Amino acid sequence: MLIDHSLFTQVVWIWMISGLVLLPVLLNITAPYGRYTNSKWGPLLDNKLGWFVMESPTLLVFSYFFLSGSVTKNIVLWIFFGLWLFHYVYRVLIFPFRTKTGGKKMPVLIVLFAICFNFMNGWINGYFLGSFTMTYDITWLYDPRFILGVLLFFIGVYINRRSDTILFALRRSGDKGYKIPYGGMYKYVSCPNYMGEMIEWGGFALLTWSLPGLAFFVWTVVNLLPRAFSNHKWYRATFADYPKERKAVVPFIL
């Protein structure tokens, strides 16, 4: 059933504003996964399984609502769909198995929260692109917003994946401890993987020029910015020789 466009727009605005309201809270609470995992948040499960379970809805829900939507799909919409899959096929099916985190756990509660977020995010973007028409004709491929957005998207992908590769390489020896990462954008920030993902989805918001895309970008910042600050603080507290010139997530600024 097609939802009224004005109602859909209101839902997306509420969703996006709720993220901004939540940001101050997340800036003061370190989410208990990764290096911060603890059992105070309830039962734990294998982190690779948890990652797969919590990320899958974004891929599946977006694909379902995009493909089942009533809008006739043209080349522009298929490019949007392809970019989404390019990110999430890697994120769901490849990334968890690249990590060297055997035996680590994450709280089931975090997985449940993430499932809710990813379902909502996949729905608003998939439903919008699959069921509501905008003037995405062939001329959109020459629009400066599309061109710049695609450029930012792939710059973000490159920074994100190169940064992940550097982190994975630190554990090739089987050492489960933490080390200071060097190389790439780690020269400037503690969390270039997060910076890359924020650039990526900022690019997607620009190239689609859509409210759901903007909401996704806002929520990406809401989720990753506090995490970057926590990691930066942790690095500085853990390593006496940690590079003082590094910022948390924005080179020279933040």
Side-chain angles (χ1 to χ4, degrees):
M1 182 178 68
L2 184 65
I3 297 175
D4 178 75
H5 187 273
S6 62
L7 175 61
F8 177 82
T9 300
Q10 291 174 29
V11 170
V12 176
W13 272 111
I14 292 171
W15 172 244
M16 181 164 56
I17 292 171
S18 67
L20 294 173
V21 171
L22 186 61
L23 180 58
V25 177
L26 294 179
L27 287 170
N28 290 283
I29 298 176
T30 301
Y33 65 91
R35 70 194 65 182
Y36 311 108
T37 297
N38 62 72
S39 59
K40 295 179 181 179
W41 286 59
L44 305 175
L45 80 164
D46 178 80
N47 70 326
K48 290 185 179 181
L49 174 61
W51 184 273
F52 174 79
V53 170
M54 73 185 192
E55 290 290 321
S56 294
T58 317
L59 178 61
L60 299 175
V61 172
F62 175 87
S63 298
Y64 173 79
F65 283 102
F66 177 85
L67 296 173
S68 65
S70 58
V71 170
T72 300
K73 311 303 188 292
N74 61 13
I75 183 63
V76 178
L77 289 173
W78 284 119
I79 289 174
F80 297 162
F81 181 69
L83 292 175
W84 191 281
L85 262 61
F86 179 75
H87 175 89
Y88 276 105
V89 167
Y90 169 80
R91 209 69 178 158
V92 174
L93 301 176
I94 299 175
F95 175 81
F97 304 101
R98 293 188 67 200
T99 59
K100 309 287 194 303
T101 57
K104 287 201 170 185
K105 307 287 185 179
M106 68 164 50
V108 173
L109 187 61
I110 292 296
V111 174
L112 295 176
F113 284 155
I115 288 173
C116 294
F117 164 76
N118 287 324
F119 187 97
M120 184 67 177
N121 186 49
W123 174 67
I124 63 172
N125 282 278
Y127 195 88
F128 174 80
L129 295 176
S131 296
F132 292 129
T133 56
M134 278 187 63
T135 312
Y136 288 130
D137 58 28
I138 193 67
T139 61
W140 188 253
L141 299 179
Y142 314 113
D143 190 286
R145 291 166 291 184
F146 177 83
I147 295 171
L148 180 58
V150 169
L151 180 62
L152 288 173
F153 182 89
F154 282 107
I155 288 174
V157 168
Y158 175 77
I159 293 173
N160 176 265
R161 296 190 184 180
R162 174 163 166 71
S163 302
D164 282 343
T165 298
I166 291 172
L167 287 180
F168 298 152
L170 294 178
R171 292 187 174 179
R172 283 176 183 166
S173 64
D175 183 6
K176 294 185 179 181
Y178 288 94
K179 303 174 184 176
I180 301 175
Y182 291 97
M185 293 301 293
Y186 282 104
K187 178 178 180 181
Y188 304 103
V189 295
S190 296
C191 300
N193 48 344
Y194 297 160
M195 178 182 72
E197 192 157 349
M198 286 189 278
I199 292 172
E200 181 181 350
W201 293 115
F204 188 82
L206 181 60
L207 69 91
T208 61
W209 200 248
S210 66
L211 184 61
L214 177 61
F216 186 12
F217 170 66
V218 168
W219 268 99
T220 300
V221 174
V222 168
N223 283 324
L224 297 184
L225 187 62
R227 189 74 175 177
F229 288 153
S230 294
N231 286 358
H232 183 63
K233 182 179 178 180
W234 181 89
Y235 274 123
R236 287 194 162 187
T238 304
F239 300 101
D241 58 340
Y242 193 71
K244 291 182 171 52
E245 67 277 7
R246 284 189 195 179
K247 297 297 183 180
V249 69
V250 181
F252 313 113
I253 299 174
L254 195 63

